[in-house]
Amino acid sequence: MTITLNEKQKHALNEAVRFARDPDNAVFTVSGLAGTGKTTVLQQTVERIMELGIRPAVCTPTGKAAHVINQKAQGKFRATTLHKVLTVRPIDTLAHIHKRLDELTLRDMGEGLSNEEKAEEQALLNTLDQQRNNKLTFEPIAPSEFRAAYDMLIFDESSMIGKTKTYDLLIAQHQVPKIYFGDAAQLPPVQDTPAVNLARADVRLTEIMRQAPDSGILPVSHHVYNRGDWLSLKQMEKFADIKVRKDFHDGMIVGFESTHQILCWTNKTRHNVAKKVRQHHFEFGNETHQFLPICGETVMVDDNDDERRLLKGQMLIIDDIAHYNPAANPFLVVVKCRDENNAERRLTLSITDLSDGYDLSDEDVYGTRYRQDSMRRWADKEGVKVMWPYCLTVHKAQGSEWPRVLYLAEMPQSHQDWRKHAYTAVTRAVEELVVCCRSFYYS
């Protein structure tokens, strides 16, 4: 399919390619709000500079963001996380397992795996899960080693790159041309400052390209960011893909929890909503440990776990609770589960987040509050951190998108981050957005 670029996109593409030809070490930035075609320009930029013989490393802050690009690139190039490009694993037994799994992953993305290769992949994953006490160490890759494989760096979702935790440690040492694509309107990195000032980008894309004629998601998101307020209720109700609810209470999620991804502001709301969703779906009776995942239930990985090849945001389907001893540590549980590729895993999970909102005050079963604090820290160190996927904070939702989103707009509009928070929430929806907010008015 031939893609026709608008004038701003053509300008961005030509300027990015011109910059790539310039041997001087420098930085080039392209910014744009949702739907203005940043990914399209990135794709064509990469293809054009590869035709010139330039070897770009296409990087994203998260595995999910890399997956989105790879789906659109259709095999013409491959994006990966910046940590995979800018770090190196010392070669040991564990690293050899990961190297072979990397090879199998690439083959699976291309021509697919044979039955023998699928069995090999499953066996390697089983070995990986059994060796959970072995630590896979990472070191920043030497600039000379990077230059042997690449000539420049291209980043997508640049608003998520933190200065202290990522840029200073991994990116700054590489004196190669760098092109950053990103959305200045999105929330900044959690507990860090942005590494890239997208508000002063070299090229800004402004024309909405990704929009059906009767869609309101992108116009509303742009209005939120540019004006710092919602459109009036009358205007919102004109759009076929936007619904508004002026009430705001926990019970309103019933009817949406199975079809919409619920987004909120605070972790307190997230925990309350997740608990209510589970109570609506499952019969617990007098079960003591209601925070344990039930067979068939899905949990979401809450932190990148390189040793176990798990990415933040990845889903795990629980098949069975293999071992749980609350007297030893109520926040660690061993489960049999399947990942998104249906590979069977036996993993030790840290359920510190799953248990929030539930009563763990029984000292005979769960230990004193002081002891619980130390057990929580130990669980987060030893297990895979997971959370319920039923409701996410908008911060955790960055870099993802869903067909339908229910946004619990609880953040006050007087809050300094309201514009970016509401904008980020709205742009997570692709087909339908439901906004629950008390502040809508008729005009």
Side-chain angles (χ1 to χ4, degrees):
M1 182 179 69
T2 303
I3 297 176
T4 302
L5 302 183
N6 63 34
E7 291 306 311
K8 272 286 187 181
Q9 290 174 321
K10 290 178 183 177
H11 175 66
L13 172 61
N14 292 334
E15 287 298 296
V17 173
R18 181 198 59 75
F19 166 82
R21 286 194 178 104
D22 190 336
D24 292 340
N25 172 54
V27 170
F28 187 81
T29 53
V30 179
S31 72
L33 298 182
T36 54
K38 295 184 298 298
T39 303
T40 299
V41 175
L42 182 148
Q43 286 177 246
Q44 297 207 13
T45 298
V46 173
E47 292 173 23
R48 286 270 296 273
I49 65 176
M50 287 175 65
E51 291 171 359
L52 297 173
I54 300 170
R55 302 169 301 169
V58 184
C59 308
T60 64
T62 67
K64 273 200 166 185
H67 181 66
V68 170
I69 292 178
N70 288 330
Q71 284 185 314
K72 296 178 179 179
Q74 299 180 332
K76 294 179 181 178
F77 62 89
R78 181 171 182 263
T80 187
T81 62
L82 58 88
H83 285 84
K84 277 198 173 183
V85 171
L86 300 177
T87 62
V88 63
R89 298 189 293 253
I91 297 300
D92 52 24
T93 303
L94 202 58
H96 279 297
I97 294 174
H98 279 271
K99 182 179 180 182
R100 179 55 181 158
L101 284 168
D102 284 342
E103 294 170 351
L104 291 171
T105 300
L106 279 173
R107 284 183 60 81
D108 197 19
M109 290 175 62
E111 61 267 31
L113 299 179
S114 65
N115 290 335
E116 291 78 11
E117 288 170 328
K118 288 180 181 178
E120 179 190 4
E121 182 182 51
Q122 182 66 67
L124 290 172
L125 287 171
N126 292 342
T127 303
L128 209 59
D129 295 341
Q130 293 165 7
Q131 298 187 16
R132 68 181 184 86
N133 291 325
N134 294 339
K135 297 299 179 185
L136 186 64
T137 56
F138 288 82
E139 299 172 356
I141 191 171
S144 58
E145 189 171 347
F146 175 85
R147 289 300 297 266
Y150 304 105
D151 300 314
M152 71 181 305
L153 281 159
I154 297 179
F155 299 95
D156 196 20
E157 298 286 357
S158 299
S159 64
M160 298 172 66
I161 300 176
K163 184 179 186 306
T164 304
K165 297 179 180 179
T166 303
Y167 181 84
D168 291 346
L169 292 178
L170 298 178
I171 300 174
Q173 65 174 319
H174 296 288
Q175 303 300 307
V176 296
K178 303 175 183 72
I179 301 179
Y180 295 94
F181 289 81
D183 186 345
Q186 289 199 43
L187 288 163
V190 179
Q191 297 179 344
D192 205 346
T193 55
V196 186
N197 186 356
L198 292 167
R200 300 181 63 181
D202 296 288
V203 177
R204 297 180 186 178
L205 302 175
T206 55
E207 183 179 343
I208 299 175
M209 300 296 290
R210 190 187 72 221
Q211 181 195 355
D214 59 346
S215 172
I217 292 173
L218 292 177
V220 167
S221 68
H222 287 220
H223 182 89
V224 162
Y225 184 72
N226 291 323
R227 301 294 182 87
D229 198 359
W230 297 105
L231 285 168
S232 72
L233 184 57
K234 280 186 176 180
Q235 291 173 298
M236 296 276 277
E237 290 176 336
K238 291 179 181 178
F239 297 115
D241 54 358
I242 293 184
K243 294 180 174 63
V244 175
R245 295 189 60 166
K246 293 186 287 181
D247 50 352
F248 194 104
H249 54 83
D250 289 340
M252 68 181 7
I253 62 170
V254 176
F256 291 104
E257 75 276 8
S258 60
T259 56
H260 291 65
Q261 177 59 55
I262 304 172
L263 302 181
C264 65
W265 175 32
T266 66
N267 280 316
K268 181 179 179 181
T269 299
R270 177 170 67 87
H271 292 137
N272 287 341
V273 169
K275 187 175 180 179
K276 287 186 178 295
V277 170
R278 299 188 75 234
Q279 289 171 339
H280 186 251
H281 279 287
F282 304 110
E283 284 289 339
F284 293 103
N286 295 321
E287 290 182 31
T288 304
H289 316 299
Q290 294 187 4
F291 47 83
L292 288 181
I294 292 172
C295 181
E297 195 170 9
T298 300
V299 296
M300 188 176 82
V301 177
D302 192 27
D303 202 3
N304 291 323
D305 192 315
D306 297 308
E307 284 84 7
R308 300 167 183 84
R309 296 179 70 83
L310 296 170
L311 293 172
K312 187 172 183 177
Q314 188 173 352
M315 300 297 179
L316 302 174
I317 302 169
I318 305 300
D319 288 330
D320 189 27
I321 301 295
H323 177 73
Y324 181 61
N325 183 357
N329 192 322
F331 305 109
L332 279 175
V333 61
V334 181
V335 300
K336 294 179 181 178
C337 61
R338 286 167 287 126
D339 64 19
E340 291 169 317
N341 297 316
N342 210 36
E344 297 176 357
R345 309 293 297 266
R346 182 184 174 95
L347 297 169
T348 299
L349 304 183
S350 169
I351 56 171
T352 57
D353 195 85
L354 302 188
S355 60
D356 274 336
Y358 291 88
D359 183 13
L360 276 75
S361 60
D362 188 339
E363 293 186 8
D364 291 337
V365 178
Y366 302 116
T368 64
R369 179 62 57 187
Y370 172 78
R371 182 165 169 260
Q372 282 186 27
D373 289 341
S374 62
M375 289 190 293
R376 279 176 175 271
R377 289 192 293 270
W378 177 254
D380 285 345
K381 178 182 177 183
E382 290 297 303
V384 177
K385 294 176 67 175
V386 294
M387 61 183 292
W388 302 118
Y390 307 115
C391 181
L392 302 177
T393 63
V394 174
H395 266 105
K396 288 185 179 293
Q398 282 203 106
S400 300
E401 61 182 28
W402 294 272
R404 297 174 177 83
V405 166
L406 173 70
Y407 175 40
L408 302 176
E410 56 183 332
M411 178 185 276
Q413 286 188 236
S414 58
H415 195 286
Q416 62 179 3
D417 290 332
W418 184 86
R419 284 198 312 166
K420 289 194 172 189
H421 192 274
Y423 169 86
T424 304
V426 171
T427 53
R428 299 312 92 198
V430 176
E431 298 174 6
E432 182 181 83
L433 172 71
V434 180
V435 181
C436 304
C437 182
R438 296 188 185 96
S439 63
F440 284 115
Y441 56 91
Y442 280 93
S443 64

